[in-house]
Amino acid sequence: MRAVKMAPAGGLARGPWVPLAVLALLARAALALTERYPALSLLQQERHRQRHGPAGEWAEQYSAECDSSFLHFHESDCDIGGSSSCESMLSLNTEKILSQAKLLAEQKRFPFATDNDSTNEELAIAYVLIGNGLYDEAIRHFSTMLQEEPELVSAIYGRGIAYGKKGLHDMKNAELALFELSRVISLEPDHPEVFEQRAEILSPLGRISEALSDLTKAIQLQPSARLYRHRGTLYFISEDYATAHEDFQRSLELNKNQPIAMLYKGLTFFHRGLLKEAIESFKEALKQKADFIDAYKSLGQAYRELGNFDAATESFQKALLLNQNHVQTLQLKGMMLYHHGSLDEALKNFKRCLQLEPYNEVCQYMKGLSHVAMGQFYEGIKAQTKVMLNDPLPGQKASPEYLKVKYLREYSRYLHAHLDTPLTEYNTDIDLPGNFKDHWAKNLPFLIENYEEQPGLQPHIKDVLFQNFESYKPDVQELICVADHLGSMMQYETPGFLPNKRIHRAMGLATLEVMQAVQRTWANSKVRMNGKTRLMQWRDMFDIAVKWRRIADPDQPVLWLDQMPARSLSRGFNNHINLIRGQVINMRYLEYFEKILHFIKDRILVYHGANNPKGLLEVREALEKVHKVEDLLPIMKFNSKTRDGFTVNTKVPSLKDQGKEYDGFTITITGDKVGNILFSVETQTTEERTQLYHAEIDALYKDLTAKGKILILSAELGEVDAICNLILSLVYYFYNLMPLSRGSSVIAYSVIMGALMASGKEVSGKIPKGKASIKISKYISSLVDFEAMTAPGSEAFSKIARSWMNLKSISPSYKSLPSVSETFPTLRTMIEVLNTDSSHCLKKTIVVV
């Protein structure tokens, strides 16, 4: 082999002992350096590619800190603040390349250095070329060396690194890189860095299990904070958050000053629903790195999930103070503001996001949605069309925004066409095509045969204009403020429920309109619904709330399931809620786990008593040890039919036909071990089940109307109490039927409040916080729909609901409020009032409170 000698420091290598081939190579390299930027690390590129992958928006938060993904010239983790060993070795001329190579060779600061100084000098040149992003030149240099010495491990290793650095988008590079690194492992099987490098090529190729195996082998050979952190990252991407948490914890035990590892530890908590623990980890990351934008952003998202709008806003704002152009923070803050009902503020964030990243699908979709929700249909559909044009590449998974946008565009056109049509003259559930509704509610791709698009925007129909609060008459101002107060009474105070002032106002107005409509019905007045004048039926009462819930957020399909196509309904339309999926706990429903668990245990005993009486004693003893859902997994193995899982159906007793029961909801448990479990509940809305529930609700509504008419005439206290029980019983069956694709809970509660007000009783108590959870210190709120679904009957539900409602006599001032339906008779007027600023209401006393 020809040796490459290094020139003395300060002088350019000249003379016959520097091969002309090397000088030519270095000249090409110096020229190329003026035309290239240093490449990002592979792991950083991979995080960028996985923005819409399994780990969602969190995936790109991870970076390899400042150590190179492929080129570890030393074993220790580099300092987060930066060090000379972490700096790019970008140079601008041959002299510097040779100088850097000489330094590397003397210190043997490259992988698999040899005992031969000349060989090391030649290897060092190629590694310097890699460090400068000159991968083809490095490959040629290593290849020349390998022609003379085919098993020179450092050259094989370096060539593998260079192939990987060239870019794994070209499978040829990936295959060559893996081939070379595998050769190194066969020659030198006890070097952890080689397994680590191979893992970092395997993971972007989707070969996660192989990458994890390599990282495990590297850890066995020589554990380090970096290796545990890298393996934890792969477990995180694989959604194995518990195992990822263990690795990040081990990494932090070896090196506690790792803000990124601490951030990811927090994210493993976040994804499992352990929000308090997540927040503590994010705060700890910020103690280690005060200007850590991703930690502030994650803290904001955790507070948002807790429903703490003020704390979330503060955290997002701190992230933007550090970098006002941080796209992901703008996106997350904008989405939080939208779901808080602050659409105008949300829109500012989405527009800024798109200035910085014009092809951001989330911001583009949310911009279009915000415009439409505010009645600005021209701008809204323009933004939606941009999302529609962003077709996924062949083999690429379509984004959620791309899947939803055509439904939103069609619905936006429909809303615009009906802006000024009286709401009493049309019916959205009948107007929209059946297959469109079915696909939209099920969130299916927009592949609808023979679909006829909604007409385009009509120029003579103008967008909704902003309406000042002061422009409304005083009595309408009072109506708005009362609605805001009533809507706030429906807020759940539990993780996952962010207060939404737009929803509050909409459902407050729905409550008042229900009250007024029920009072008119009891006074024998007819109502105008769907183009017909007739006595109000129970569905009309709920439809009042449905129309307000729909217009408050046009992104969500709030549709009657029995109005879906017959074929869809005959198959059953499922309302599905995951309580535990894998390692993710749905914190909204945590308080109900124990109640559902007791029910499951009872049903298992009944099942084994009927089908396996000999094994009943063994099952009973096993069930006594069951204290959480995961403990049921061994029980499933007692019977061959339940080995892989089982379902349990709740029953809803009839009031109309004593002794008769209806199907309630289905509890499903499947899985074989902790972390691989699905614990879910669902209601299956079939045509037969719907008819049974409708008959029950019809009978209750008929009785309610009769007693309401008597109440109007006599005002006897006994009638009021009976009416209250009838209202709660009617809604009990509505909750268990779950007849809407979305929004059933708040719609039903607004009907409860409105109908009670019609009877002269006002709900003055808020939905309560429940008992403290063992797992988190925050109190969990009662959820009205789950109280109904888990109650043994309508009487039990009525008793529970009345315990917190704190009913009192209605204020006479309600009678002076204007008619909601006459004040806001069209979509335009509804959108106007939902857009109106409500801060004035905070400065005045609401007379009915």
Side-chain angles (χ1 to χ4, degrees), residues 579 589 591-603 629 632 648 650 665 667-669 679-681 786 789-790:
L579 303 180
Y589 305 98
E591 185 184 350
Y592 295 92
F593 282 21
E594 187 176 348
K595 185 184 283 191
I596 295 174
L597 191 59
H598 281 304
F599 176 78
I600 293 171
K601 289 162 72 172
D602 289 341
R603 299 307 299 173
V629 176
L632 287 170
V648 179
T650 65
F665 64 92
I667 305 164
T668 301
I669 299 178
F679 176 37
S680 63
V681 299
F786 251 59
M789 292 165 68
T790 56

Side-chain angles (χ1 to χ4, degrees), residues 100-118:
Q100 290 169 359
K102 180 179 180 181
L103 185 62
L104 280 184
E106 288 175 352
Q107 298 179 359
K108 294 187 177 180
R109 284 183 53 243
F110 58 88
F112 300 104
T114 70
D115 294 329
N116 185 300
D117 291 342
S118 296

Side-chain angles (χ1 to χ4, degrees), residues 43-280:
L43 198 55
Q44 287 171 315
Q45 293 174 17
E46 170 58 12
R47 298 299 159 260
H48 181 73
R49 281 196 292 272
Q50 289 176 339
R51 286 178 59 189
H52 300 296
E57 66 234 11
W58 306 109
E60 68 179 33
Q61 288 182 337
Y62 184 86
S63 70
E65 292 185 355
C66 54
D67 52 31
S68 166
S69 294
F70 273 98
L71 205 52
H72 298 299
F73 290 122
H74 54 95
E75 290 301 311
S76 61
D77 283 348
C78 60
D79 181 73
I80 193 68
S83 67
S84 59
S85 63
C86 293
E87 293 172 1
S88 169
M89 292 184 294
L90 184 65
S91 60
L92 295 176
N93 53 48
T94 304
E95 179 182 359
K96 284 195 173 182
I97 291 176
L98 292 171
S99 175
Q100 290 169 359
K102 180 179 180 181
L103 185 62
L104 280 184
E106 288 175 352
Q107 298 179 359
K108 294 187 177 180
R109 284 183 53 243
F110 58 88
F112 300 104
T114 70
D115 294 329
N116 185 300
D117 291 342
S118 296
T119 301
N120 286 343
E121 288 171 0
E122 203 163 342
L123 287 166
I125 289 173
Y127 278 110
V128 169
L129 293 171
I130 291 176
N132 284 285
L134 300 165
Y135 310 126
D136 287 327
E137 290 82 350
I139 289 167
R140 282 194 288 269
H141 196 70
F142 284 129
S143 297
T144 300
M145 298 182 73
L146 286 166
Q147 285 175 359
E148 298 185 25
E149 193 172 341
E151 293 192 352
L152 181 59
V153 175
S154 186
I156 299 171
Y157 183 69
R159 191 163 67 176
I161 291 171
Y163 279 127
K165 283 281 195 178
K166 278 185 70 176
L168 302 184
H169 54 276
D170 185 339
M171 280 303 298
K172 184 179 179 182
N173 290 334
E175 290 167 1
L176 288 169
L178 290 172
F179 176 76
E180 301 287 30
L181 293 174
S182 298
R183 282 181 66 199
V184 174
I185 288 171
S186 66
L187 294 168
E188 297 284 350
D190 297 327
H191 288 263
E193 65 271 25
V194 189
F195 288 98
E196 183 181 10
Q197 302 305 341
R198 191 168 69 174
E200 293 207 24
I201 293 174
L202 289 166
S203 58
L205 300 176
R207 296 163 66 175
I208 302 297
S209 60
E210 295 173 73
L212 285 168
S213 177
D214 273 358
L215 288 172
T216 299
K217 179 64 176 176
I219 288 170
Q220 290 169 350
L221 290 169
Q222 188 175 342
S224 69
R226 184 185 68 243
L227 285 171
Y228 277 120
R229 190 179 69 238
H230 284 185
R231 191 174 70 174
T233 304
L234 290 189
Y235 278 126
F236 181 87
I237 291 171
S238 304
E239 299 185 38
D240 187 350
Y241 303 120
T243 309
H245 173 266
E246 292 174 7
D247 272 358
F248 291 126
Q249 185 60 38
R250 290 192 187 104
S251 181
L252 288 163
E253 288 168 1
L254 292 171
N255 178 6
K256 65 180 181 180
N257 186 31
Q258 293 186 89
I260 287 179
M262 185 61 71
L263 169 71
Y264 256 60
K265 177 183 171 183
L267 291 174
T268 64
F269 285 130
F270 179 92
H271 281 277
R272 287 180 289 163
L274 303 174
L275 299 176
K276 180 188 174 187
E277 291 86 345
I279 287 169
E280 291 304 313

Side-chain angles (χ1 to χ4, degrees), residues 240-539:
D240 187 350
Y241 303 120
T243 309
H245 173 266
E246 292 174 7
D247 272 358
F248 291 126
Q249 185 60 38
R250 290 192 187 104
S251 181
L252 288 163
E253 288 168 1
L254 292 171
N255 178 6
K256 65 180 181 180
N257 186 31
Q258 293 186 89
I260 287 179
M262 185 61 71
L263 169 71
Y264 256 60
K265 177 183 171 183
L267 291 174
T268 64
F269 285 130
F270 179 92
H271 281 277
R272 287 180 289 163
L274 303 174
L275 299 176
K276 180 188 174 187
E277 291 86 345
I279 287 169
E280 291 304 313
S281 295
F282 298 147
K283 287 181 176 179
E284 185 60 35
L286 287 165
K287 287 180 184 177
Q288 295 183 13
K289 191 174 188 294
D291 61 347
F292 197 0
I293 293 176
D294 283 336
Y296 274 123
K297 178 193 68 178
S298 302
L299 187 61
Q301 191 70 345
Y303 277 127
R304 179 214 187 278
E305 288 300 312
L306 274 179
N308 190 334
F309 176 77
D310 292 337
T313 300
E314 181 182 357
S315 297
F316 285 139
Q317 200 55 40
K318 285 180 178 177
L320 291 172
L321 284 173
L322 291 168
N323 180 3
Q324 63 179 350
N325 297 332
H326 196 253
V327 170
Q328 202 172 58
T329 300
L330 289 165
Q331 176 182 312
L332 290 174
K333 184 184 177 188
M335 293 181 75
M336 181 190 70
L337 287 164
Y338 178 88
H339 292 292
H340 181 250
S342 304
L343 271 54
D344 198 43
E345 288 300 309
L347 194 53
K348 292 176 184 176
N349 283 268
F350 297 135
K351 286 180 177 178
R352 178 63 181 150
C353 166
L354 290 167
Q355 286 176 349
L356 299 165
E357 201 172 274
Y359 298 102
N360 186 307
E361 279 190 74
V362 175
C363 289
Q364 193 68 257
Y365 179 87
M366 292 303 299
K367 176 188 174 186
L369 175 60
S370 301
H371 277 302
V372 165
M374 290 191 291
Q376 299 163 1
F377 291 92
Y378 289 90
E379 284 298 321
I381 289 179
K382 188 190 300 182
Q384 293 163 21
T385 303
K386 289 182 180 179
V387 178
M388 289 175 59
L389 294 174
N390 194 18
D391 295 317
L393 298 172
Q396 183 183 12
K397 187 178 179 181
S399 69
E401 290 72 32
Y402 182 84
L403 290 175
K404 292 193 300 180
V405 71
K406 194 159 187 179
Y407 296 106
L408 179 61
R409 187 186 72 163
E410 291 300 287
Y411 187 48
S412 300
R413 288 171 165 179
Y414 174 83
L415 292 176
H416 184 264
H418 290 81
L419 266 179
D420 300 306
T421 306
L423 290 154
T424 56
E425 302 306 311
Y426 64 96
N427 185 319
T428 300
D429 283 281
I430 294 174
D431 293 345
L432 293 176
N435 285 339
F436 173 87
K437 294 186 298 178
D438 184 56
H439 281 62
W440 188 20
K442 292 176 180 175
N443 198 29
L444 298 174
F446 198 102
L447 300 171
I448 305 172
E449 289 184 12
N450 303 319
Y451 177 75
E452 187 175 337
E453 289 190 350
Q454 294 285 330
L457 300 188
Q458 303 300 308
H460 68 278
I461 303 175
K462 303 303 180 186
D463 274 350
V464 176
L465 299 176
F466 180 75
Q467 189 89 345
N468 283 315
F469 183 81
E470 294 85 352
S471 66
Y472 287 109
K473 294 179 180 178
D475 60 343
V476 177
Q477 291 182 19
E478 191 66 35
L479 181 71
I480 295 169
C481 293
V482 171
D484 285 355
H485 166 70
L486 292 173
S488 70
M489 303 286 285
M490 305 178 202
Q491 178 64 40
Y492 288 159
E493 295 185 39
T494 192
F497 292 97
L498 184 75
N500 188 324
K501 59 186 183 181
R502 191 177 181 88
I503 297 287
H504 288 173
R505 179 172 295 177
M507 303 323 294
L509 288 166
T511 298
L512 291 170
E513 189 173 347
V514 167
M515 175 193 75
Q516 294 167 348
V518 171
Q519 284 176 335
R520 289 196 302 271
T521 299
W522 290 350
N524 281 321
S525 294
K526 295 183 178 181
V527 295
R528 181 78 177 169
M529 302 290 286
N530 306 327
K532 297 177 181 178
T533 302
R534 52 178 167 74
L535 290 173
M536 185 170 74
Q537 302 301 310
W538 70 264
R539 191 194 287 261

Side-chain angles (χ1 to χ4, degrees), residues 741-758:
S741 58
R742 295 292 293 270
S744 293
S745 183
V746 71
I747 285 167
Y749 201 65
S750 64
V751 168
I752 290 175
M753 291 178 66
L756 285 171
M757 289 165 68

